[in-house]
Amino acid sequence: MILVSSCLIGEEVRYDGRHQLNSSLKTLVDDGKAIAACPELMGGLLVPRTPAEIIGGAGEDVWQGTAQVMTRDGRDVTADYKAGAERFLELCLKHDITTVILKENSPSCGFQAIYDGTFSGEKIAGEGVTTALLLANGIKIYSEKNFINK
């Protein structure tokens, strides 16, 4: 079983109430080969919500306490992002999921890139909060950009 970010299968769960449908990934879910979830919703965040970015580093830094997830209007949502990541990991463990496909650039799900924390649209190399936790627990991560359905 594979776990896929909900926004990638057409669920309108992004911060802006939209989705990022990837038809191939939706087919995996429709065929019962994958399930979908959103770590940000699992952490208690709502749709729509104020955009958030990691300030002071990347996902691993959030877990080490040296970076925070902040909204554009200055609200600290680090605890929400960490809670969602922990619930997402629990879902992986419950369903014996070892492969996850996440949405690149997200402060939760970014795998190779995230926004730089300035809300300017600039990106940096790094991973999101959920991605960092999953990697630390031996889960194989792909983004929608580097997953090839075989």
Side-chain angles (χ1 to χ4, degrees), residues 3-33:
L3 182 54
V4 178
S5 291
S6 296
C7 64
L8 295 174
I9 65 157
E11 293 182 15
E12 296 174 334
V13 297
R14 288 173 37 97
Y15 74 93
D16 58 6
R18 299 185 347 196
H19 62 77
Q20 292 287 308
L21 176 63
N22 178 306
S23 298
S24 297
L25 297 178
K26 183 165 183 357
T27 299
L28 284 178
V29 173
D30 291 345
D31 291 347
K33 296 177 182 175

Side-chain angles (χ1 to χ4, degrees), residues 12-75:
E12 296 174 334
V13 297
R14 288 173 37 97
Y15 74 93
D16 58 6
R18 299 185 347 196
H19 62 77
Q20 292 287 308
L21 176 63
N22 178 306
S23 298
S24 297
L25 297 178
K26 183 165 183 357
T27 299
L28 284 178
V29 173
D30 291 345
D31 291 347
K33 296 177 182 175
I35 60 174
C38 173
E40 293 176 18
L41 294 185
M42 293 174 87
L45 297 170
L46 304 175
V47 177
R49 57 190 171 273
T50 305
E53 295 185 8
I54 299 173
I55 310 293
E60 184 176 342
D61 302 305
V62 171
W63 290 106
Q64 294 175 358
T66 59
Q68 297 174 295
V69 186
M70 302 292 290
T71 62
R72 183 174 47 210
D73 58 7
R75 191 166 56 96

